[in-house]
Amino acid sequence: MDLEGKEEGWVWVRRPNEGDSKFWGLMDPIQDPPPSPPPLTVVFTEPAKHWTDAAPIGNGRLGAMIWGGVCTETLQLNHDTLWTGMPGDYTNRQSPVVVSNVRKLVDNGQFVEASLAANGLLGHLSEVYQPLGNINIDFDDCPVGYSAYGRELNLTTATVKVSYTVGDVEFTREHFCSYPHQVLVTNISSNKSGSLSFTVSLDSELPYHSSVNAANQIIMEGSCPAKRILQKGNTSVDLEGIQFSAVIDLQIGGEAGTIRVVDDNKLKVEGSDWAVLLLAASSSFEGPFTKPSDSKKDPTLASVDTLNAIRNMSFSKLLAYHLDDYQNLFNRVSLQLSKGSNATTEDSRPINQIQARTQKSLIASSCGRPKLSAPAITTKSTKNAMVSTAERVKSFNVNEDPSLVELLFQYGRYLLISCSRPGTQVANLQGIWNKETEPAWDAAPHLNINLQMNYWPSLSCNLSECQEPLFDYIASLSVNGARTAKVNYEANGWVTHHISDIWAKTSPDRGKPKYAVWPIGGAWLCTHLWEHYSFTMDKVFLENIAYPLLEGCALFLLDWLIEGQRGYLETNPSTSPEHLFIAPDGQTASISYSTTMDMAIIKEIFSIITYAAEVLEKSDSCLINQIKIALLKLPPTRISWDGSVMEWAQDFEDPEVHHRHLSHLFGLFPGHTMTLWSTPDLCKAAAKSLYKRGDEGPGWSTTWKMALWAHLHNSEHAYKLVKKLINLVDPDHEKAFEGGLYSNLFTAHPPFQIDANFGFTAAIAEMLVQSTEQDLYLLPALPVDKWAEGCVRGLKARGDVTINISWKEGVLHEACFCSKNRNSVRRLHYKGKVANIELSSNRIHTFDKHLKCLRTHPSLEGTT
């Protein structure tokens, strides 16, 4: 379709991308697509009763939770820049004295006293993520009864549809959040002319005022509190906090339809055939270093301008742009799993249906076939689509439906696309979705696992663009972190600790030293910089963005390390995040020296920057020479008396062996200092550590353990944790659960934390493909008795290699590799076999189970 045309039945379709089977030449482009598998939809059979029953949509900046009520529809709204507070002072001039005292106590073996003294290093609490408000749609003549209710989140189109029937009238609502046009779009329709009548309004938990302007737009203006907690009963707008605005534009159709203003702040629609609501929102936030009171932004003007830019665009056009943008990311990867052709369960599918999910809206431009319409926001009925996803989660422990694993894998990719896009804020502890003014753990980025896990699937699952907000965030942290390093630690470079916020807080938090005294958060984040280069081979990124940040991080670490009593370079004070140990005097303590995680991350950073310097021809610099010397003086990872990996420098007794954190196993994953081939004894000790920790824990802990077991190539235990996570959480009694899923597939700590959604997706990818700069491991942790047949397409490996894999009866069938713009030699591994292979740029290489090359041919992009 011509996007400027008037023909509403057609929409723009894009060229195939890496995830499309035609790109790979694995399907005859003239033939019709294969039989469709169960749709990628999260299904609800009733309106939401709890927030975690609502369906999330988002465009990275603007988010909404769709409740799907019949008498009243609620769209709970979020904007990624709405936070309490303002820029702060993240320094403590007393810290150098405290650090010196703590170090002496640690050197004397007075760990309890050191832990108490470390309270002097604590700082202020982080700020708090805030909700934007709600769109309330109250329908006239609330029906006593209704039928055929359905609500579904379609992952393939990033849309939510709500439908139900009252008498002989079918009502439908369609929702999506557009990244290209930065608006939330709602289309309300029915099959009977003149049957739509409703009132729409905006409100917020924050201080606000709403009104209707001359253009029949509802404008809500408000303010975030300038301090963490808004005092109860205080409804005044604090001019020092971040200001915000949300504007609704309403369009209706039908000869008899009317719009009128009610109570000066509501719009009432009567007798229309259809209605389209467009919502834009903005804030006065101008960056982490600008006070809200100094901001020059006018959020209302920005919101109105956003709406004016699309005033003449139809719903179909907005949908077309949305689909093209979203599917360009989402359709890169497909996954299908099957128990096998011999399985008797109703969810099994024959191998000829184990094909990539090829959307009918995607056509091969080389075929000359007519353009097809975009996928509708409807989903065709299947056995899985007629039951709620919550029921599927409940029954998973019995039927182990592989298609539910597919859905949860793709749900993580959907959420990442929806909450982290170029130009937005970093994905916080809840992504962008939050209904509370005082959310759990402030919904703040936590840097001792949670923020990092949010971005684990971005590279392996082919969403590298979604990582850009993380790099912007690291850059902001480096600015404030340089002041923290200089004042608090009298060190060069930059530092940050375990929790931050939109203002790029870098100082220790208030609370307890066991989590707050951890100046390694920035270093862990910096590993993502190298990983981005490793997967994309983007040398410009490495030189201009990654290397300067790595350089500052390494400078701090060099100054933070001190000569220890053992002759090694040590960190002191040092904690293993959020964990305690039993000191020799029998008391619990948190502060010691050179915890295993500290050393693993420092080794990772020093190795990374050394590799980066080689790529950029900077290996002869003074800094790199210092780092090479320091690397040789770092203490090794040690094994405890019981055969597990030591978590601390001394073999302290662990008072909580089932602790949720796996900090001492960072080197196995996501780090690279423990591998089955280079450090087999440490890997054996890592397995022992995992058995000691046990399988219980919050959602993020469960998915981290999945990835760790995958890197030990233990498919049985990795799958055991898949089953553990897929457990339905009752939101009325969530404290009785550890981990699990809510009805909308949000993962639970509990309460809701989004990190495990991303951790699950990443862990599934690690079960199917693992890579280093030189090696590719195929199906390293495939549970062959559970997923005997399957296919994954579009995963990424280091070296900018795109991978398709199919397997039958638990055995590799074919693996295809495409390396863009570079030739490379890799070692290919499968079930103990190793083959050296050569990949030519822009050619597809296909290998069999014996790792023999069956064929090569140009990729589609290389020939068009």
Side-chain angles (χ1 to χ4, degrees):
M1 166 194 133
D2 179 355
L3 279 175
E4 301 305 319
K6 303 296 184 183
E7 191 171 357
E8 294 297 324
W10 297 89
V11 296
W12 190 21
V13 275
R14 60 170 177 78
R15 65 183 298 176
N17 60 30
E18 292 175 21
D20 302 327
S21 56
K22 291 166 188 166
F23 173 89
W24 291 90
L26 298 181
M27 291 176 56
D28 182 350
I30 304 301
Q31 301 301 316
D32 289 331
S36 298
L40 288 171
T41 54
V42 183
V43 177
F44 310 85
T45 54
E46 61 182 1
K49 297 177 181 177
H50 303 87
W51 187 77
T52 50
D53 299 329
I57 58 175
N59 63 10
R61 174 154 289 124
L62 185 63
M65 297 289 286
I66 314 299
W67 286 63
V70 173
C71 296
T72 299
E73 172 66 284
T74 300
L75 281 70
Q76 186 268 314
L77 306 171
N78 289 104
H79 192 277
D80 68 338
T81 63
L82 298 196
W83 285 74
T84 63
M86 61 186 65
D89 179 7
Y90 307 118
T91 63
N92 179 355
R93 298 189 181 280
Q94 303 304 314
S95 285
V97 175
V98 177
V99 168
S100 179
N101 183 39
V102 170
R103 283 174 169 170
K104 290 176 183 177
L105 292 169
V106 168
D107 286 344
N108 292 333
Q110 297 173 276
F111 302 112
V112 176
E113 292 80 359
S115 300
L116 291 172
N119 283 290
L121 298 173
L122 304 185
H124 301 291
L125 293 169
S126 64
E127 294 298 337
V128 186
Y129 184 50
Q130 300 291 282
L132 170 58
N134 304 285
I135 299 176
N136 303 301
I137 306 174
D138 298 312
F139 293 91
D140 292 3
D141 303 322
C142 179
V144 175
Y146 57 89
S147 61
Y149 181 89
R151 178 165 52 100
E152 62 186 32
L153 166 60
N154 187 321
L155 304 187
T156 306
T157 58
T159 57
V160 171
K161 178 186 174 185
V162 180
S163 59
Y164 55 91
T165 300
V166 178
D168 62 347
V169 183
E170 298 176 6
F171 294 91
T172 302
R173 299 176 215 144
E174 300 157 307
H175 310 269
F176 64 89
C177 225
S178 167
Y179 178 73
H181 295 103
Q182 290 296 301
V183 288
L184 171 65
V185 183
T186 293
N187 182 40
I188 308 174
S189 61
S190 72
N191 68 343
K192 184 176 181 181
S193 179
S195 59
L196 284 182
S197 297
F198 60 87
T199 302
V200 60
S201 62
L202 282 169
D203 64 21
S204 178
E205 294 292 316
L206 298 173
Y208 78 97
H209 171 75
S210 65
S211 61
V212 177
N213 67 7
N216 274 353
Q217 294 174 325
I218 303 175
I219 298 178
M220 179 175 72
E221 297 173 317
S223 176
C224 298
K227 297 182 179 180
R228 274 181 52 93
I229 300 175
L230 186 64
Q231 293 181 353
K232 304 301 181 184
N234 178 11
T235 58
S236 64
V237 175
D238 188 337
L239 297 178
E240 293 187 48
I242 293 174
Q243 308 293 300
F244 65 85
S245 179
V247 181
I248 286 181
D249 189 273
L250 179 59
Q251 305 166 9
I252 64 170
E255 294 181 1
T258 61
I259 302 176
R260 61 186 175 90
V261 180
V262 177
D263 298 332
D264 296 325
N265 61 2
K266 301 174 184 176
L267 291 175
K268 183 170 180 60
V269 173
E270 293 180 301
S272 72
D273 295 350
W274 55 263
V276 174
L277 283 72
L278 305 175
L279 179 130
S282 185
S283 83
S284 62
F285 179 76
E286 285 197 64
F289 313 120
T290 302
K291 293 181 180 180
S293 59
D294 294 335
S295 173
K296 306 302 181 184
K297 289 183 65 176
D298 182 336
T300 298
L301 180 61
S303 299
V304 171
D305 285 348
T306 297
L307 291 171
N308 286 341
I310 59 171
R311 177 172 289 276
N312 296 321
M313 292 189 69
S314 67
F315 173 79
S316 293
K317 282 185 180 179
L318 290 169
L319 176 61
Y321 276 110
H322 162 71
L323 290 174
D324 183 70
D325 165 73
Y326 171 77
Q327 291 182 338
N328 182 53
L329 295 169
F330 185 79
N331 286 349
R332 292 174 182 176
V333 173
S334 65
L335 172 67
Q336 290 197 28
L337 305 170
S338 172
K339 294 179 181 179
S341 56
N342 294 326
T344 58
T345 56
E346 63 181 22
D347 57 272
S348 298
R349 301 187 296 278
I351 191 63
N352 64 355
Q353 294 185 26
I354 307 299
Q355 301 283 354
R357 271 189 179 81
T358 305
Q359 297 301 318
K360 289 189 177 182
S361 64
L362 306 179
I363 62 167
S365 58
S366 61
C367 299
R369 297 174 64 185
K371 295 178 178 180
L372 304 177
S373 61
I377 301 186
T378 56
T379 303
K380 66 179 185 179
S381 296
T382 67
K383 290 183 178 180
N384 280 339
M386 291 190 294
V387 300
S388 71
T389 300
E391 288 299 321
R392 295 178 64 190
V393 173
K394 277 185 184 178
S395 62
F396 185 82
N397 192 52
V398 176
N399 64 28
E400 300 184 42
D401 178 7
S403 67
L404 186 57
V405 177
E406 300 169 14
L407 180 65
L408 191 56
F409 168 83
Q410 292 286 26
Y411 190 59
R413 298 183 67 248
Y414 164 80
L415 290 175
L416 188 57
I417 297 170
S418 301
C419 75
S420 183
R421 301 291 292 273
T424 71
Q425 299 302 305
V426 75
N428 64 46
L429 205 60
Q430 296 182 184
I432 52 171
W433 298 279
N434 165 44
K435 67 182 175 69
E436 307 285 354
T437 56
E438 299 179 40
W441 301 289
D442 305 330
H446 284 59
L447 279 55
N448 60 8
I449 175 61
N450 315 95
L451 177 58
Q452 290 87 345
M453 184 177 284
N454 283 1
Y455 288 94
W456 281 359
S458 61
L459 294 171
S460 59
C461 297
N462 214 336
L463 295 173
S464 61
E465 298 94 329
C466 293
Q467 244 190 340
E468 288 188 24
L470 180 63
F471 305 142
D472 295 338
Y473 193 58
I474 296 172
S476 296
L477 290 170
S478 73
V479 175
N480 286 336
R483 291 191 285 268
T484 304
K486 183 176 181 179
V487 175
N488 289 31
Y489 303 117
E490 298 178 331
N492 294 299
W494 65 274
V495 64
T496 191
H497 294 74
H498 100 287
I499 189 170
S500 190
D501 53 31
I502 198 170
W503 308 109
K505 166 184 157 65
T506 53
S507 57
D509 208 43
R510 187 187 300 175
K512 298 179 180 179
K514 69 176 182 179
Y515 52 78
V517 181
W518 191 67
I520 307 296
W524 189 347
L525 287 178
C526 280
T527 65
H528 286 250
L529 297 166
W530 173 256
E531 291 287 25
H532 184 82
Y533 168 75
S534 181
F535 274 86
T536 66
M537 307 306 291
D538 185 346
K539 191 173 178 180
V540 174
F541 167 84
L542 181 66
E543 184 168 17
N544 296 338
I545 297 175
Y547 196 82
L549 294 169
L550 286 165
E551 202 170 34
C553 175
L555 283 168
F556 170 76
L557 294 176
L558 285 172
D559 285 352
W560 181 239
L561 289 164
I562 58 174
E563 291 282 351
Q565 295 177 342
R566 301 183 297 172
Y568 293 114
L569 290 177
E570 313 273 14
T571 55
N572 178 8
S574 178
T575 58
S576 191
E578 303 187 25
H579 203 10
L580 299 170
F581 59 88
I582 298 177
D585 62 4
Q587 299 183 69
T588 57
S590 59
I591 299 292
S592 63
Y593 63 96
S594 298
T595 59
T596 299
M597 182 178 228
D598 274 11
M599 291 298 112
I601 292 177
I602 292 172
K603 289 173 186 176
E604 198 86 14
I605 288 295
F606 284 178
S607 298
I608 280 171
I609 195 169
T610 302
Y611 300 148
E614 291 178 7
V615 174
L616 301 175
E617 299 180 355
K618 297 183 179 183
S619 296
D620 294 334
S621 71
C622 179
L623 173 63
I624 298 303
N625 289 331
Q626 285 181 274
I627 287 171
K628 289 178 178 178
I629 294 170
L631 260 173
L632 299 175
K633 300 178 70 175
L634 296 177
T637 303
R638 299 171 63 195
I639 297 175
S640 175
W641 65 271
D642 66 355
S644 63
V645 175
M646 283 173 55
E647 189 164 354
W648 299 273
Q650 294 185 31
D651 207 356
F652 297 124
E653 183 180 349
D654 189 341
E656 190 182 356
V657 293
H658 301 308
H659 194 268
R660 59 195 174 277
H661 278 262
L662 293 308
S663 305
H664 52 316
L665 302 184
F666 170 90
L668 180 60
F669 185 86
H672 304 87
T673 54
M674 293 185 198
T675 70
L676 287 168
W677 295 269
S678 63
T679 58
D681 290 341
L682 283 179
C683 286
K684 183 177 179 181
K688 176 68 175 180
S689 295
L690 283 168
Y691 284 120
K692 280 180 64 178
R693 277 294 200 259
D695 296 332
E696 295 303 312
W700 59 262
S701 180
T702 300
T703 58
W704 193 359
K705 290 169 185 172
M706 280 175 60
L708 288 166
W709 282 116
H711 274 258
L712 293 173
H713 293 193
N714 189 321
S715 59
E716 180 180 354
H717 216 119
Y719 183 79
K720 182 180 179 182
L721 291 159
V722 170
K723 288 189 65 176
K724 181 186 180 302
L725 186 73
I726 302 179
N727 178 40
L728 190 65
V729 174
D730 179 356
D732 288 324
H733 304 94
E734 64 184 9
K735 289 185 178 179
F737 292 81
E738 280 199 292
L741 303 174
Y742 295 101
S743 69
N744 65 359
L745 295 186
F746 273 171
T747 50
H749 185 284
F752 162 56
Q753 277 187 205
I754 202 167
D755 38 28
N757 284 111
F758 301 132
F760 181 88
T761 299
I764 293 296
E766 296 297 323
M767 293 169 72
L768 300 176
V769 177
Q770 292 170 24
S771 68
T772 69
E773 280 74 11
Q774 297 83 29
D775 298 271
L776 289 169
Y777 300 91
L778 304 181
L779 307 179
L782 176 72
V784 295
D785 57 330
K786 306 298 182 182
W787 308 332
E789 297 175 347
C791 152
V792 64
R793 301 180 185 224
L795 291 182
K796 282 287 190 177
R798 290 169 179 84
D800 194 19
V801 176
T802 309
I803 300 177
N804 290 355
I805 305 174
S806 63
W807 62 95
K808 298 179 180 181
E809 298 179 356
V811 178
L812 176 68
H813 175 59
E814 286 186 353
C816 302
F817 309 99
C818 183
S819 178
K820 286 188 177 181
N821 304 317
R822 66 188 302 269
N823 299 330
S824 63
V825 177
R826 310 295 294 268
R827 289 189 297 268
L828 188 59
H829 301 253
Y830 175 67
K831 286 192 173 181
K833 302 185 187 76
V834 183
N836 290 317
I837 64 172
E838 185 172 339
L839 301 180
S840 302
S841 64
N842 289 311
R843 293 191 66 84
I844 296 167
H845 302 71
T846 303
F847 292 82
D848 65 9
K849 64 183 178 181
H850 303 295
L851 306 187
K852 293 182 178 179
C853 186
L854 300 178
R855 58 188 176 272
T856 69
H857 57 86
S859 67
L860 179 65
E861 291 189 352
T863 57
T864 56

